[in-house]
Amino acid sequence: MRKSLPSMPIRVKQFPNFVKHIFIRTILLLQNTHSQPTFHLCYFSCNSYFKYLYCSLHSLLKFSSNHNFKIYVFNDNEQPLSDAQILSIQNLIPGTKVIPWPKSMGWGANQIKTIWQAYGEVAEHALDNDIVARVDSDVFFFNDIIFRAVAKSDADLIGDGHYVNFEYTQGGCYFFRADAIKKIVKLLATENIENLLSEIEPIVEDIAAHHFARHLKLKIWLTWFMMFPDELRNAGGITKWMNWKFSCLHFVMKNKKAMLTTYQNELLQIQEIDSFSKIINTE
């Protein structure tokens, strides 16, 4: 009986993509540019996710404050943030817009449609070269490398693809040029979204975003910047290597309390922990 050959480890299969990513990232970061786009960051959140949302915004302020940001929180109508929670967010990042919005968790045509309506509203108030980004509440940043790379890239869609074998733009955090958002919104106004989504499986927000960009033949850069819990565990924490390799951590797990303990233990100074802990427990 013929013995089957052992499968090649994922890290070996992806090594060429990793080298390509590092090369492109290095070239981009060495470029000089006089224009700095504004990043319009879109969060879709709710009362029960306030702790994680606050953590994400806190990390943004702590590690990426030298970029131009506008924050939009699309506040779930079914489980809205409380007035006290909204105040905490706006005290942290003044000017944050909290907008009542239908539930947009990213599954099915109706929720994906409301997500793109939100992106469209944000893009209307952005310059074509600005960046409109999706950031999930369970993502925190630990450096600004991805923001610097995106600002200098000419791609229309920039996302992480390493965890899904570079088949599509992984959800959690991805970046669209505002002009690309406008093109996709125009597409969705002229073509039936159910018909467009019938071409993908499963019908989820991140695969849909990638599909819309491909449908319009937009320029896509699938890169390597978002770490996941198993990678954190295998690395033994946010080491110098992980800090160079990635820019953020996406806690795609049911028990998201680990996100808060990881952020506090790995990235906060002792004197910061008490005030952070008190605020995230705001009801």
Side-chain angles (χ1 to χ4, degrees), residues 159-215:
D160 191 298
H162 85 278
Y163 211 75
V164 292
N165 202 30
F166 294 92
E167 293 179 8
Y168 58 88
T169 306
Q170 173 74 49
C173 181
Y174 52 81
F175 305 82
F176 269 102
R177 196 73 51 190
D179 183 52
I181 291 282
K182 294 171 186 177
K183 290 176 182 177
I184 294 174
V185 168
K186 186 176 180 180
L187 168 71
L188 298 178
T190 56
E191 295 198 28
N192 184 279
I193 190 170
E194 285 81 6
N195 290 341
L196 288 169
L197 293 175
S198 69
E199 300 171 3
I200 65 171
E201 181 64 37
I203 299 175
V204 291
E205 154 264 325
D206 49 358
I207 297 178
H210 188 91
H211 176 65
F212 297 152
R214 287 188 63 190
H215 185 88

Side-chain angles (χ1 to χ4, degrees), residues 19-31:
V19 172
K20 178 182 177 182
H21 150 70
I22 292 301
F23 176 77
I24 294 172
R25 189 183 80 173
T26 301
I27 295 300
L28 283 174
L29 294 178
L30 288 173
Q31 290 179 1

